[in-house]
Amino acid sequence: MSSRFGRIAGTVALSCAALLALPATATADQAPMDPLSQAVTALQQQGASAADPALAAATAISGARTAVADDVDANPLAALDAANKILTELGITPFFYPTAAINCASVPGVPFGISPAVAGAAGGPWPNAKAPLLPPLNAVEKGETMFAFLPAGIVDDSANKAGMQVAWFNVNTLKGGFADMGGATTTFVDSILDNAKLDPITTELVRGALTTAIAKLPAAGARLAPVETGSGTVLAAVFGNVEHKTADGVNNCFYFPTVGLVNVG
């Protein structure tokens, strides 16, 4: 269990199994292009139109598979390594390469206001947390995937959590679509409580403990999205906007797409 969580009100202990982390950077040749291309062809042969959600998601992921972060300083202030460490400690597999937003960071000394970011995914059951007298506490169950986005340099996340999206495509089932990403704390806690189906009193006790624990993470701007992807090999692209407040008002940070893969049981 990550020491970042500490002790959760003396009762709820989060224990995240570490997944094999993919490299933070990769070339286009290392990305799994063939399965996606084959799946797109299969959908087209089945008569799927451009408006079909699965085909649209697969096309979006295919169009995002360029290492856009290669042209950006991938590690100002070593923030990128720190963000990747947070993901892996939580049992989330990082995507193939990082991303960044320009003219965004509020940290002094960062060139061009670059805010680097990483994304990742974890197949359910996750985090498979154990606590005395309670069922396993999972934000996503078998056949589901939790997608995560973690930027660096966002120091005052605004109340508006809209803007980040994930496009996903299961190459085994040929199913796919898009999902909006919500604030990390609310999404994480609500997903666990929805799955746990506890009595009202226990629900509120666990809600408070989980909220306290996840709030200890340096997660301003972090986003999560639980998705019913089904089991199989799932490709995904995360992209969009994060708003955060500065002394001059609200800054709108656009993050280029980053692509990854997760095997979902």
Side-chain angles (χ1 to χ4, degrees):
M1 182 180 71
S2 169
S3 60
R4 295 176 185 274
F5 279 99
R7 302 183 64 86
I8 309 176
T11 56
V12 181
L14 290 183
S15 175
C16 298
L19 299 177
L20 179 63
L22 295 175
T25 57
T27 64
D29 292 338
Q30 292 172 305
M33 299 186 69
D34 288 344
L36 184 59
S37 299
Q38 293 171 3
V40 170
T41 300
L43 284 172
Q44 292 171 337
Q45 291 175 344
Q46 293 174 7
S49 68
D52 181 88
L55 183 57
T59 302
I61 296 169
S62 179
R65 289 186 305 183
T66 55
V68 295
D70 285 354
D71 295 329
V72 180
D73 183 357
N75 192 15
L77 309 179
L80 202 56
D81 288 341
N84 261 325
K85 183 179 180 182
I86 291 173
L87 288 185
T88 54
E89 285 182 346
L90 295 178
I92 298 173
T93 303
F95 278 5
F96 292 117
Y97 49 80
T99 182
I102 309 299
N103 194 27
C104 171
S106 298
V107 179
V110 175
F112 306 110
I114 292 173
S115 169
V118 293
W126 178 88
N128 203 24
K130 310 294 185 182
L133 305 178
L134 292 177
L137 301 177
N138 290 318
V140 287
E141 301 288 1
K142 181 178 174 64
E144 299 176 334
T145 306
M146 179 65 80
F147 295 100
F149 172 77
L150 186 63
I154 304 295
V155 297
D156 191 358
D157 197 9
S158 74
N160 179 11
K161 302 298 182 183
M164 293 301 300
Q165 280 193 316
V166 56
W168 64 274
F169 185 81
N170 189 321
V171 299
N172 295 105
T173 64
L174 304 185
K175 303 293 184 181
F178 297 83
D180 293 328
M181 306 188 81
T185 299
T186 301
T187 302
F188 180 75
V189 173
D190 287 350
S191 296
I192 285 182
L193 294 178
D194 287 345
N195 288 329
K197 295 180 174 59
L198 305 172
D199 64 82
I201 295 177
T202 306
T203 294
E204 292 311 309
L205 290 174
V206 174
R207 183 190 303 277
L210 290 173
T211 301
T212 299
I214 198 70
K216 294 178 181 178
L217 296 174
R223 303 288 186 264
L224 294 175
V227 179
E228 295 182 7
T229 57
S231 300
T233 300
V234 177
L235 295 172
V238 168
F239 53 91
N241 296 284
V242 171
E243 291 184 353
H244 74 105
K245 296 178 182 178
T246 67
D248 299 324
V250 176
N251 197 9
N252 194 2
C253 305
F254 173 76
Y255 290 87
F256 296 100
T258 177
V259 175
L261 173 151
V262 61
N263 292 312
V264 182

